[in-house]
Amino acid sequence: MKRTMTGILILGLCMSCFCGCTSTEGNTQDETTVIETETLGELEGDVEADTADTTAPEVQWNSDVLFTNSLSGQAAADLLSYNDESDCTVELTRFTKLSNLEVLDDSKLQSYTAGLNQVAADELLARTPNKAAGEGIYSAVLSVTDAAGNTSAHEVLVVYDKTAPIIEGLADQTIVQADPSVEPAVDLSALKISDNVDGVIDAARIQTSLDLEEEATRSYTFHISIADRCGNEAIDYCKITVTAETKEEAKPAQEQTAASNATQESSKKQTEQTQTATNAGQETEQAKPQEQISYQTTTTFQMADGTAFQDAMAKEVLTILNQRRAESGLAALTWDDNLTTVAKVRSLEIVGNFSHTRPDGRSFYTAIDDQHIAYTWGGENLACGQTSAEVAMSEWMASQSHKDNILRGEFKKVGIACYYDPNTTYKYYWVQIFSD
């Protein structure tokens, strides 16, 4: 089997969990960025009280549209800038659903924004506070509140999408060229990328890398990634083999490349985002069996004072995970210490970079490779902010793509980590790493 990678992420709140805690439809999040100020006591003697602050923050609204996969105040920070004598709270709330997600071109987007900002700030703030119920197109109130409770508000259009683009047409290729030691040019003519909001995405927007795996056989792994306007990233890869041309095979390079791909059958692999369900069950080509390595992890972790891996909470996740698999008639996953080392590495990495792309730009599965673990199928689920194993598992199971990873029959082993850092926004960082 071709090595198949899936990676899914959800983002919660440090206090109340991602998706607004109580939402049962889809995953949403509502984060409020607050910086507390210290109140100084009165000096000795009689001091005249300061004049009460009744002036709302001066806010510059930079945009009326937020494309996002995170419903936090921080996510909306680019839409505004403000000036106030005190620290302020930025909040995104009071959602009104306008439509399910659809492809948004300029004219469609204009039709949604035309009716915005026809209501005064007081009227906006009089609306009932609520959270978004799953993916969709919403109008919402973006507010800035100072320490004295004065608030400026603005109505914005929120396109809330957690679905990654779909990559099609990327297939393994054999390229014939005069000098096989020269890095090949990969044919992307059959590549098609589509998104539920962005529509057809120009292949020129993709990020690519070509890694030489075996110099003797001139075998490469070609990786591509593409992110939509809401920040959802899809990742795919294929194998490239370069061979030397014979005299009979001498042709223009362009013809050789096209011919090498003519009989290849497209084989989609799961992406690292929520489109994994789309590709589940597709046949993949037989991968070269990996060398089985007996490996004892020796990874050490540099951790700040007050931080810790919550191993007991990670084991609680395993218990609930296997209960859900049993309910679906699936065999239990076994705890794997080496995969758990990978999960701990990733839990530290996502504190500053909540993504399936690692801080050094590599994909998450390279963390498995770094531990010399042999596998054919692998996957990753991420979450942060959930304060218990029950909440983390509940939110993963409420997301179809995360649930697909948890209930995937190909997976046999799992490593789980819960990292606690009280000095960060979300405090709890959860990782599941799956393999066969």
Side-chain angles (χ1 to χ4, degrees):
M1 297 288 292
K2 179 180 294 182
R3 181 182 298 181
T4 304
M5 310 305 307
T6 65
I8 311 302
L9 61 88
I10 56 176
L11 182 61
L13 300 180
C14 61
M15 297 300 294
S16 60
C17 298
F18 166 78
C19 304
C21 238
T22 58
S23 173
T24 59
E25 179 184 353
N27 285 322
T28 64
Q29 73 185 124
D30 185 15
E31 172 199 345
T32 301
T33 304
V34 181
I35 303 176
E36 298 180 351
T37 58
E38 182 178 353
T39 303
L40 300 176
E42 293 185 355
L43 300 175
E44 294 183 0
D46 294 329
V47 179
E48 183 178 354
D50 292 336
T51 303
D53 178 9
T54 59
T55 303
E58 296 180 6
V59 182
Q60 176 68 43
W61 308 102
N62 302 324
S63 176
D64 293 333
V65 183
L66 174 63
F67 287 91
T68 186
N69 57 16
S70 166
L71 294 178
S72 64
Q74 184 178 358
D78 290 341
L79 299 189
L80 58 86
S81 57
Y82 64 84
N83 180 36
D84 194 81
E85 294 183 355
S86 66
D87 295 310
C88 294
T89 298
V90 178
E91 186 177 19
L92 188 64
T93 185
R94 296 173 173 84
F95 289 86
T96 301
K97 190 166 186 178
L98 305 178
S99 172
N100 293 326
L101 290 175
E102 60 179 320
V103 175
L104 292 176
D105 56 20
D106 291 343
S107 61
K108 194 70 175 180
L109 193 61
Q110 186 176 5
S111 70
Y112 279 112
T113 58
L116 295 179
N117 304 313
Q118 305 298 317
V119 183
D122 290 344
E123 294 179 73
L124 293 175
L125 295 172
R127 296 178 182 177
T128 303
N130 68 340
K131 298 178 175 66
E135 295 178 312
I137 301 173
Y138 296 84
S139 67
V141 177
L142 182 58
S143 61
V144 181
T145 304
D146 65 18
N150 305 300
T151 302
S152 294
H154 192 70
E155 189 174 22
V156 296
L157 183 74
V158 178
V159 181
Y160 178 49
D161 173 28
K162 296 179 69 64
T163 302
I166 300 174
I167 300 173
E168 298 178 279
L170 187 66
D172 292 353
Q173 300 177 27
T174 297
I175 298 176
V176 181
Q177 58 188 37
D179 185 356
S181 66
V182 175
E183 187 174 282
V186 182
D187 178 23
L188 298 179
S189 59
L191 193 65
K192 294 174 57 179
I193 305 172
S194 59
D195 184 73
N196 58 336
V197 172
D198 291 356
V200 177
I201 298 178
D202 188 348
R205 287 174 48 188
I206 66 172
Q207 300 293 319
T208 65
S209 66
L210 186 64
D211 301 321
L212 180 62
E213 302 292 346
E214 295 183 21
E215 186 170 358
T217 59
R218 306 306 299 174
S219 297
Y220 296 81
T221 300
F222 180 69
H223 299 274
I224 67 172
S225 64
I226 183 72
D228 61 20
R229 282 182 288 181
C230 292
N232 304 299
E233 184 182 27
I235 297 177
D236 206 349
Y237 74 97
C238 67
K239 297 295 184 181
I240 305 294
T241 302
V242 179
T243 62
E245 67 177 10
T246 64
K247 292 182 179 180
E248 293 77 11
E249 293 172 330
K251 298 178 181 179
Q254 184 177 2
E255 293 181 17
Q256 293 172 17
T257 303
S260 69
N261 194 40
T263 59
Q264 293 290 337
E265 179 181 357
S266 175
S267 174
K268 289 187 283 187
K269 298 168 288 298
Q270 298 160 304
T271 67
E272 292 183 341
Q273 296 288 356
T274 57
Q275 283 300 322
T276 54
T278 304
N279 295 331
Q282 287 203 359
E283 292 296 326
T284 58
E285 297 178 9
Q286 184 68 33
K288 179 181 178 181
Q290 299 185 33
E291 179 183 359
Q292 297 295 320
I293 301 174
S294 177
Y295 182 72
Q296 181 67 35
T297 59
T298 58
T299 301
T300 59
F301 301 97
Q302 301 297 323
M303 299 164 61
D305 292 342
T307 67
F309 291 117
Q310 303 292 334
D311 294 336
M313 296 173 73
K315 286 294 182 72
E316 290 177 25
V317 169
L318 177 67
T319 299
I320 301 171
L321 181 154
N322 281 331
Q323 289 173 351
R324 300 295 172 264
R325 286 180 66 89
E327 292 166 1
S328 297
L330 296 170
L333 299 184
T334 59
W335 179 276
D336 186 270
D337 287 338
N338 285 343
L339 290 178
T340 296
T341 296
V342 176
K344 288 182 175 181
V345 169
R346 293 288 294 128
S347 69
L348 292 171
E349 291 179 345
I350 65 174
V351 173
N353 183 45
F354 193 80
S355 169
H356 295 298
T357 300
R358 303 178 69 187
D360 62 5
R362 296 183 297 162
S363 183
F364 80 90
Y365 63 80
T366 61
I368 306 176
D369 297 336
D370 288 348
Q371 296 298 326
H372 306 286
I373 299 171
Y375 65 100
T376 300
W377 290 75
E380 176 180 81
N381 280 353
L382 305 180
C384 66
Q386 297 76 7
T387 57
S388 70
E390 290 82 359
V391 175
M393 277 299 300
S394 176
E395 294 189 4
W396 273 328
M397 290 298 291
S399 166
Q400 186 60 50
S401 48
H402 298 83
K403 180 178 178 181
D404 287 344
N405 264 355
I406 292 168
L407 302 182
R408 195 169 300 284
E410 290 86 356
F411 293 148
K412 309 300 180 186
K413 297 181 290 185
V414 68
I416 305 170
C418 174
Y419 174 60
Y420 175 70
D421 186 343
N423 301 312
T424 62
T425 300
Y426 297 107
K427 295 183 172 60
Y428 291 89
Y429 299 84
W430 304 81
V431 179
Q432 294 174 322
I433 299 291
F434 305 90
S435 80
D436 54 358

